[in-house]
Amino acid sequence: AFRNPKKIIDEILLMQRYIDAPVFILGDITQGGREYLEEFFENSKRLGKHVQIFFEFFEPPDEWFYDKVAENFSNFCFEISPDSHDEGIREKMGKHFTNTQLISSISYALSIGAKRFDLYFMTGLPYQTRESIIKTVDFCRDIYENLYWDKRFMPFISPMAPFMDPGSRAFENPEEFGYKLTIKTLTEHIDAITQPSWKYILNYESRFISRDDLADATYDGALGLNELKGKA
């Protein structure tokens, strides 16, 4: 379901009466289609170009969208979650864009004046190994080099925590995705959330990586990305 574009802008204007803060459009607004976006941008003129606005994507948008954002706003940021640098794993997550498309999209967004572009990776994915997690750092290093170490590019990585969502496809059919559920009932989930570390809170195990390796690789990946951001 997509909210009426006019009402989205109405709500932003209402919020701005009380607090002058950045605006984050949650969900991928580009999934509404060209006509929907045209209506959104037409209404967004009521905001003024000064408002800081964030857009989230589920897949790289058309360059046309970036151009319209730059035309209507002067302070804009973007984020996308490819989940994994491995296109095969990404396919299994239902995301069907290539790394070439991803890097091209980031590069274009920054070229038209984006204040930052966030990239979110996840650990604990189906078929993901420790080696695959660590290679995320190499992948992001290549992107930084392609962008001449532009500090507006910001990659992040974190586990699928605290829980695999009850009711999701992976929770209902864990074997299909290489998982084993270790916590199933509501009571077990309530008890788990009191554990001292996210490693012990997880309600799943993967046959592709141990729980200890998942935790270690997540920290190694995060440290590696922080070093890249520090260099940039």
Side-chain angles (χ1 to χ4, degrees):
F2 291 91
R3 299 182 62 195
N4 183 296
K6 179 180 181 298
K7 291 184 178 180
I8 295 176
I9 303 303
D10 288 343
E11 186 168 296
I12 295 173
L13 287 169
L14 177 63
M15 289 187 294
Q16 288 185 322
R17 288 169 52 186
Y18 300 96
I19 182 170
D20 181 19
V23 176
F24 188 177
I25 306 294
L26 277 170
D28 190 345
I29 195 174
T30 69
Q31 290 188 321
R34 179 75 176 248
E35 188 175 324
Y36 181 89
L37 291 172
E38 291 277 15
E39 186 176 351
F40 170 82
F41 285 120
E42 185 62 32
N43 276 276
S44 71
K45 293 175 181 177
R46 293 186 287 137
L47 294 175
K49 298 189 70 169
H50 70 282
V51 62
Q52 185 177 14
I53 191 162
F54 288 71
F55 292 94
E56 176 182 23
F57 308 127
F58 298 153
E59 60 184 28
D62 294 335
E63 291 183 356
W64 169 87
F65 176 81
Y66 287 132
D67 292 339
K68 292 295 288 186
V69 172
E71 177 185 323
N72 286 274
F73 301 99
S74 59
N75 192 357
F76 51 90
C77 308
F78 305 112
E79 71 168 48
I80 190 171
S81 302
D83 292 334
S84 173
H85 71 281
D86 185 310
E87 294 175 355
I89 294 176
R90 192 183 307 149
E91 280 277 338
K92 290 179 172 63
M93 297 298 292
K95 299 182 178 183
H96 308 293
F97 55 88
T98 66
N99 288 335
T100 299
Q101 291 172 308
L102 176 64
I103 296 170
S104 176
S105 186
I106 295 170
S107 179
Y108 188 80
L110 294 176
S111 75
I112 53 99
K115 291 294 190 293
R116 62 185 283 172
F117 202 119
D118 295 350
L119 208 59
Y120 288 93
F121 297 94
M122 189 177 286
T123 62
L125 297 173
Y127 304 95
Q128 188 184 54
T129 63
R130 176 187 176 88
E131 291 72 28
S132 180
I133 293 172
I134 299 303
K135 285 181 180 178
T136 305
V137 179
D138 296 330
F139 177 69
C140 289
R141 182 182 293 106
D142 290 342
I143 296 180
Y144 267 117
E145 291 175 350
N146 186 68
L147 298 174
Y148 302 101
W149 293 92
D150 192 322
K151 66 180 180 180
R152 294 175 296 165
F153 171 59
M154 302 283 281
F156 301 88
I157 192 166
S158 67
M160 182 164 55
F163 303 127
M164 181 191 299
D165 297 340
S168 66
R169 289 168 55 209
F171 187 90
E172 296 298 326
N173 301 289
E175 296 82 8
E176 178 184 345
F177 299 93
Y179 291 126
K180 173 187 175 183
L181 292 183
T182 56
I183 299 171
K184 298 181 180 180
T185 69
L186 177 59
T187 300
E188 289 172 337
H189 281 84
I190 293 172
D191 290 340
I193 206 70
T194 64
Q195 296 301 308
S197 166
W198 64 268
K199 182 172 76 170
Y200 305 109
I201 294 173
L202 299 178
N203 63 352
Y204 64 94
E205 293 178 350
S206 169
R207 64 184 173 91
F208 299 97
I209 186 172
S210 70
R211 187 176 294 234
D212 286 339
D213 280 348
L214 172 60
D216 291 344
T218 297
Y219 288 123
D220 288 343
L223 286 168
L225 293 185
N226 282 346
E227 288 175 1
L228 296 179
K229 285 182 279 191
K231 179 176 179 178

